[in-house]
Amino acid sequence: MSKIKFYFILLIAAITVSSCNKDDNNVEVTPPIPFAEQYPKDIAAIEDYLKTNYFTVLNNPGFPDDQDVTISKIDAGQASIYSYLDSPTLPRLTSRDVSLHGITYKLYYLVVREGVKGGTISSGGEYPCNVDGVFAGYKLSLLDGTTVQTSNNTQILFNLDGTAHDGGGAVYVRGWSEGFPQFKTGWLSSDSDGTIKNNGFGAGVLFIPSGLGYYNQGTDDIPAYSPLVYGIKLYALKRYDHDGDGIPSFQEDLGGDMYVNTTVNGVLTDDTDGDGTPNFLDFDDDGDNYATRGEIKDKDGNYYAFDKIPDCSGDQTNPARLKRHLDKNCIKMNQ
Ligand SMILES: [Ca+2]
Ligand SMILES: [Ca+2]
Ligand SMILES: [Ca+2]
Ligand SMILES: [Ca+2]
């Protein structure tokens, strides 16, 4: 018996044992509320919140607390957050549809600053894709205005792919991986006295229905089924190559929308060979049985720069060319 099989059987046994214990102790397990039942309540509460609250923004250029957003109940005719919906200028409230759990969630997000390019030490102005790492600051509040968590603008590495690797914390809130790709990174500069300044980083607020948050997994501070209000800062990012094929995951996004596992009408569109594994997790993207890693190297065994990967004829410049690692009829390794 293979080791993996053996451990798998052990795992099944462990699960069975723990469920038996539960039955024996008559622990009452309440099944979660169906997503389609909870969501209409969440979105109504979020929209009510957006219409009855306003926001102010701290201006402190160069410092991590720059663009801090404070949200308060309207008490003197202030303009609601909702009044910024589709504003032609920033700040702007926008929404994004997220298909999950058989329903279409509306994820509202407020862009205070999108994130701008500049810089002497680092250049910034880059969008993370939805499985990258983000160096982010955050403040989590509930719809009643309570702040339950904050990083105090400390820059922490989080992995939007939901797993802990490369020193990043796993993000369990789906609303983060849906929301962060709508913001860009900032840039660093150095003062004459050597002080490092944080400039131009993306800043805003995500308004997350519970189905894209912790859902029925409540904690002491966060009741089950809570919509989440996340003030976020996107200082910098970390690219990953999930399948180790030599192409960073963000460049395995075929749609160019910074989401690498997009599904349209039930069809995965970021999947060149249509085998159900999106390109960012597929080490043979075109399904020709030759690993992508070998198809993107020149005759000296060096990797082509991503935008210089040739098509089958060797062309490296036509922007519309089919790069050869995505062409199943092209088998050219190391040439
Ligand atoms: Ca890759
Ligand atoms: Ca595939
Ligand atoms: Ca791949
Ligand atoms: Ca291939």
Side-chain angles (χ1 to χ4, degrees):
M1 188 186 315
S2 81
K3 249 187 189 172
I4 290 176
K5 264 191 191 158
F6 177 69
Y7 287 122
F8 189 66
I9 288 165
L10 275 186
L11 182 69
I12 296 285
I15 290 168
T16 314
V17 167
S18 69
S19 13
C20 287
N21 283 346
K22 269 189 184 160
D23 288 351
D24 290 350
N25 297 337
N26 288 320
V27 174
E28 204 174 304
V29 179
T30 314
I33 299 169
F35 290 107
E37 204 174 293
Q38 181 61 34
Y39 174 63
K41 294 178 197 163
D42 284 2
I43 198 64
I46 287 171
E47 288 179 347
D48 179 66
Y49 174 87
L50 294 171
K51 289 170 182 169
T52 55
N53 284 272
Y54 71 102
F55 67 95
T56 54
V57 179
L58 179 78
N59 202 32
N60 191 19
F63 293 89
D65 64 352
D66 185 31
Q67 308 298 301
D68 263 7
V69 175
T70 303
I71 295 178
S72 319
K73 205 103 188 135
I74 291 173
D75 57 5
Q78 297 92 345
S80 71
I81 304 172
Y82 199 79
S83 70
Y84 289 83
L85 185 64
D86 298 328
S87 161
T89 55
L90 297 178
R92 179 187 305 120
L93 181 70
T94 316
S95 71
R96 170 179 164 75
D97 288 346
V98 179
S99 295
L100 188 71
H101 308 134
I103 49 183
T104 303
Y105 289 99
K106 193 178 255 204
L107 175 71
Y108 282 101
Y109 59 95
L110 177 71
V111 180
V112 171
R113 180 168 65 198
E114 191 186 28
V116 291
K117 200 176 172 66
T120 46
I121 300 178
S122 69
S123 58
E126 285 188 83
Y127 292 107
C129 82
N130 65 327
V131 294
D132 276 331
V134 289
F135 289 91
Y138 72 95
K139 186 174 83 169
L140 169 59
S141 308
L142 305 177
L143 294 186
D144 66 4
T146 330
T147 296
V148 291
Q149 287 170 10
T150 174
S151 73
N152 292 312
N153 291 307
T154 304
Q155 303 177 25
I156 303 170
L157 176 62
F158 293 101
N159 293 335
L160 298 179
D161 64 11
T163 62
H165 59 86
D166 292 81
V171 170
Y172 299 116
V173 173
R174 172 69 179 256
W176 271 43
S177 61
E178 296 294 336
F180 266 91
Q182 302 297 325
F183 294 84
K184 294 192 266 192
T185 56
W187 48 280
L188 298 176
S189 63
S190 174
D191 266 5
S192 49
D193 66 356
T195 311
I196 302 292
K197 290 288 180 67
N198 281 268
N199 311 280
F201 47 82
V205 186
L206 310 175
F207 306 93
I208 303 176
S210 64
L212 301 176
Y214 294 111
Y215 207 57
N216 59 328
Q217 309 289 317
T219 64
D220 288 350
D221 295 334
I222 309 168
Y225 307 110
S226 295
L228 308 172
V229 178
Y230 271 104
I232 58 159
K233 306 281 181 68
L234 174 57
Y235 299 105
L237 57 77
K238 187 171 183 178
R239 301 294 193 190
Y240 293 125
D241 179 3
H242 287 83
D243 54 10
D245 66 358
I247 301 184
S249 295
F250 82 105
Q251 289 177 321
E252 300 215 54
D253 166 32
L254 297 179
D257 62 357
M258 282 297 149
Y259 297 82
V260 295
N261 43 13
T262 304
T263 299
V264 178
N265 298 326
V267 178
L268 183 65
T269 54
D270 291 306
D271 179 16
T272 296
D273 59 7
D275 67 351
T277 302
N279 283 13
F280 85 102
L281 294 175
D282 197 335
F283 61 86
D284 173 14
D285 293 301
D286 54 7
D288 61 3
N289 293 321
Y290 288 84
T292 294
R293 182 173 276 282
E295 297 191 274
I296 58 170
K297 284 180 186 172
D298 65 17
K299 61 177 169 27
D300 300 319
N302 298 316
Y303 288 105
Y304 287 105
F306 180 73
D307 58 358
K308 292 281 186 250
I309 298 173
D311 69 6
C312 212
S313 76
D315 182 84
Q316 291 183 278
T317 54
N318 180 358
R321 72 191 184 281
L322 183 59
K323 291 175 179 171
R324 65 193 198 187
H325 70 290
L326 299 179
D327 182 355
K328 70 174 184 335
N329 297 312
C330 181
I331 294 160
K332 289 193 173 170
M333 310 279 285
N334 292 62
Q335 50 184 289

